[in-house]
Amino acid sequence: MNIAGFLCIADEELMVRAMRDAQMLLTEHIERGACDAEEAISQLLEILDKQSVLAATNRLCSEYGLRPVNRSRIGQKHRYRRGSA
């Protein structure tokens, strides 16, 4: 859809494009020998930290009832207590 010179893209399509671009960037980075990780991260931020991608992520999360991941818990082992049954 084209409104007043703006191309409207569905949130799902925008997210798929961003993910594919990020995957291609990482593939190219690895194929080059992964020599400049700082540059690769900078390029990933250019892809994933765009306002349009962030807004689409927020809309999709609220539409599907998803919540952001708590970064402080990533990588932590979960401890489960045995109930007294």
Side-chain angles (χ1 to χ4, degrees):
M1 178 185 224
N2 194 345
I3 301 173
F6 293 100
L7 181 64
C8 295
I9 299 174
D11 287 340
E12 292 85 355
E13 184 177 350
L14 183 64
M15 296 303 297
V16 168
R17 286 182 182 186
M19 291 306 298
R20 290 190 75 187
D21 289 347
Q23 289 170 336
M24 286 183 359
L25 178 97
L26 289 172
T27 299
E28 290 171 5
H29 173 70
I30 291 167
E31 287 175 352
R32 284 190 307 243
C35 57
D36 192 358
E38 204 169 301
E39 177 63 23
I41 290 171
S42 177
Q43 291 173 344
L44 278 173
L45 282 172
E46 287 178 23
I47 294 168
L48 299 175
D49 203 31
K50 290 181 182 174
Q51 281 299 109
S52 58
V53 174
L54 295 172
T57 302
N58 290 335
R59 284 190 298 268
L60 287 170
C61 284
S62 64
E63 180 179 333
Y64 292 106
L66 302 174
R67 294 184 305 268
V69 174
N70 183 346
R71 292 181 183 196
S72 64
R73 296 190 65 148
I74 295 175
Q76 290 181 355
K77 293 184 179 181
H78 298 285
R79 296 181 184 185
Y80 297 99
R81 288 191 226 167
R82 290 187 178 181
S84 55

